[in-house]
Amino acid sequence: MRKFQVLFLLVSILSSSFAFSKPDPIKYRKSVYQIMGWHFGIMAAMAKGKKGYDRDVFMRSAAILRFVSNLPLEGFPVGSEKGNTKAKPEIWLDMKDFEEKMLQMQQEVSVLEEIANIGDLRKAKKQIGKVGRSCKSCHDKYKTK
Ligand code: ASC
């Protein structure tokens, strides 16, 4: 009995550490988008007056969003089209277009960070609209509902 218990324990430990370290592009890109959505949400709420405007918090979210916006692309390697994902297979059929849309989003996000650092909430609000539209243009084409 004891042998089996030890064996079970070993298998459990090994399989859980394997699950932890196994690279999973789908989980990776979802996590990145979660962080982006979180910080975009903070800024959008402030821009809409749903949350009190705090310049430091706004700047911080803009900086995080700008940094993290550079991360999703590597989460779409060939072979990661299958699994628990809303990413359409079209992404891998036209990766150039997907990359262009990603770059456009990154550029709009960079502008948002610059505006955030100046502290102009009116301009930031406009730019949030542009960022949101760049997110949407990619989702419309490459994300299932
Ligand atoms: C968000 C979020 C998105 C975008 C998109 C904008 O806050 O999670 O995917 O904004 O809805 O059109």
Side-chain angles (χ1 to χ4, degrees):
M1 264 308 131
R2 205 169 177 86
K3 242 189 242 171
F4 286 111
Q5 282 174 339
V6 171
L7 189 65
F8 177 76
L9 194 68
L10 269 174
V11 168
S12 309
I13 292 168
L14 288 175
S15 61
S16 67
S17 61
F18 179 68
F20 184 70
S21 62
K22 188 181 168 213
D24 183 339
I26 295 176
K27 279 188 186 166
Y28 169 81
R29 68 199 185 217
K30 283 184 175 180
S31 309
V32 168
Y33 287 130
Q34 282 277 322
I35 296 171
M36 290 174 67
W38 181 270
H39 289 285
F40 187 64
I42 290 171
M43 288 185 280
M46 285 186 189
K48 287 179 191 159
K50 287 186 182 170
K51 208 180 171 94
Y53 174 60
D54 180 323
R55 186 172 166 171
D56 289 337
V57 172
F58 195 93
M59 275 171 54
R60 178 176 179 271
S61 281
I64 293 169
L65 182 63
R66 204 265 302 141
F67 184 85
V68 178
S69 73
N70 296 302
L71 307 185
L73 197 57
E74 74 189 84
F76 293 89
V78 172
S80 67
E81 54 269 61
K82 288 201 183 76
N84 181 19
T85 181
K86 289 183 179 171
K88 289 188 187 173
E90 279 79 358
I91 291 170
W92 291 269
L93 298 176
D94 196 352
M95 188 48 84
K96 267 243 126 36
D97 181 65
F98 186 71
E99 284 182 21
E100 271 169 32
K101 285 186 151 32
M102 194 71 83
L103 186 66
Q104 202 185 330
M105 175 278 290
Q106 290 160 350
Q107 284 166 347
E108 298 295 8
V109 166
S110 289
V111 175
L112 179 59
E113 189 194 17
E114 285 167 20
I115 294 168
N117 291 342
I118 294 162
D120 187 332
L121 188 59
R122 253 168 47 99
K123 273 194 186 160
K125 195 173 172 172
K126 269 194 149 179
Q127 189 60 26
I128 281 169
K130 287 193 184 178
V131 171
R133 282 190 291 279
S134 75
C135 300
K136 190 174 184 302
S137 79
C138 198
H139 293 166
D140 286 350
K141 197 165 177 185
Y142 294 117
K143 187 185 177 193
T144 59
K145 298 282 181 313

